[in-house]
Amino acid sequence: SDLQKQEERGELLQPLIFVLLVLCSVLLYFKVSLMDPGFVKPEEEVKEGENKGQGVVIPQIPGDVKLRRCGYCLVKQPLRAKHCQLCQHCVRRYDHHCPWLENCVGERNHPLFIVYLSVQLVVLLWGGHIAWSGLYFEQSWEWVQHNIFLLVCFLLIFTFTIVVLLLLVSQLYLISCNTTTWEFMSHHRISYLRHSELENPFDQGIILNLWRFFC
């Protein structure tokens, strides 16, 4: 049969891989959106100067910078933690609150968030290629009417691809510098960065930063 011939030629492998990538993207979405991003629990005892997830505190951070108690949930915040008013929790190594996930991106789910963006980008690029290959251009209104669905799909995929690509590139840049979106945007308002001798006291080089983040 035609199906068997296509299977023998390997033509069914690509659609299968595409479906598996889409499924993987959906599963990653729910995993990242539903998991604990690194909420600071009230019962946790946080020692002054602790920098969980970052190893030993970098010496360039001034010694007079004290760990503060959150004015909302009243827990003692570890270094690099921030209170999210939408989640109503303090989050360790807070990066940002993602409205698409309806969850914070923090210490625990940040690496999976990067994996999710990467898989999503591959799916979008592949889907854009499929949509583009289905278009044949003619300068007529009748052609537009017959291909309006493909045109809309291609424009949506193109828009989402640009958004995901920019977000992924910016995230990888910040990770390579060992900083977070919150620290990058609010550097002048964060005490342990504002009073530091270095612009970014957590930066230990691109390779070590990436290694510590992903491994």
Side-chain angles (χ1 to χ4, degrees):
S1 64
D2 292 338
L3 190 61
Q4 288 177 333
K5 292 179 181 179
Q6 288 178 339
E7 185 178 1
E8 291 173 357
R9 292 195 300 264
E11 295 178 1
L12 297 180
L13 185 60
Q14 288 189 358
L16 179 60
I17 295 176
F18 180 75
V19 171
L20 289 176
L21 280 174
V22 172
L23 180 61
C24 180
S25 174
V26 173
L27 292 177
L28 282 170
Y29 171 82
F30 284 109
K31 176 66 175 177
V32 177
S33 63
L34 296 176
M35 74 180 297
D36 179 354
F39 294 135
V40 181
K41 303 298 189 300
E43 64 273 11
E44 290 179 352
E45 291 293 331
V46 183
K47 295 181 181 180
E48 185 172 342
E50 178 189 359
N51 187 21
K52 186 175 181 181
Q54 298 299 321
V56 181
V57 178
I58 307 301
Q60 287 80 1
I61 298 176
D64 58 350
V65 175
K66 305 296 183 182
L67 298 182
R68 61 185 294 272
R69 190 168 294 278
C70 177
Y72 296 97
C73 53
L74 303 180
V75 298
K76 200 170 185 181
Q77 290 182 333
L79 204 63
R80 310 189 79 177
K82 181 184 181 298
H83 183 86
C84 176
Q85 297 190 15
L86 295 174
C87 293
Q88 297 183 350
H89 283 286
C90 286
V91 180
R92 292 180 180 275
R93 202 182 182 279
Y94 175 87
D95 188 84
H96 69 284
H97 183 93
C98 180
W100 176 250
L101 297 172
E102 293 188 0
N103 193 14
C104 282
V105 175
E107 183 180 78
R108 294 189 61 188
N109 65 349
H110 201 169
L112 269 182
F113 178 69
I114 300 301
V115 175
Y116 165 69
L117 288 179
S118 302
V119 174
Q120 190 66 52
L121 181 61
V122 173
V123 170
L124 287 168
L125 289 172
W126 199 336
H129 172 71
I130 294 173
W132 180 263
S133 63
L135 289 173
Y136 60 95
F137 295 97
E138 293 181 9
Q139 295 181 351
S140 65
W141 176 246
E142 183 179 354
W143 177 87
V144 174
Q145 288 180 318
H146 283 101
N147 293 274
I148 187 67
F149 180 73
L150 272 177
L151 286 171
V152 171
C153 286
F154 181 77
L155 289 176
L156 286 175
I157 290 173
F158 178 78
T159 302
F160 286 131
T161 300
I162 295 299
V163 172
V164 172
L165 179 62
L166 291 176
L167 182 57
L168 179 59
V169 170
S170 64
Q171 283 286 308
L172 290 175
Y173 168 75
L174 293 176
I175 292 168
S176 68
C177 298
N178 197 357
T179 189
T180 64
T181 303
W182 171 58
E183 290 173 340
F184 181 79
M185 300 295 292
S186 306
H187 188 279
H188 61 287
R189 295 193 292 112
I190 302 174
S191 59
Y192 59 83
L193 295 179
R194 187 174 67 247
H195 300 301
S196 174
E197 297 176 3
L198 300 178
E199 184 177 354
N200 179 14
F202 302 106
D203 187 7
Q204 295 179 298
I206 295 177
I207 295 177
L208 189 56
N209 291 339
L210 293 173
W211 174 264
R212 289 199 170 193
F213 181 84
F214 288 106
C215 307

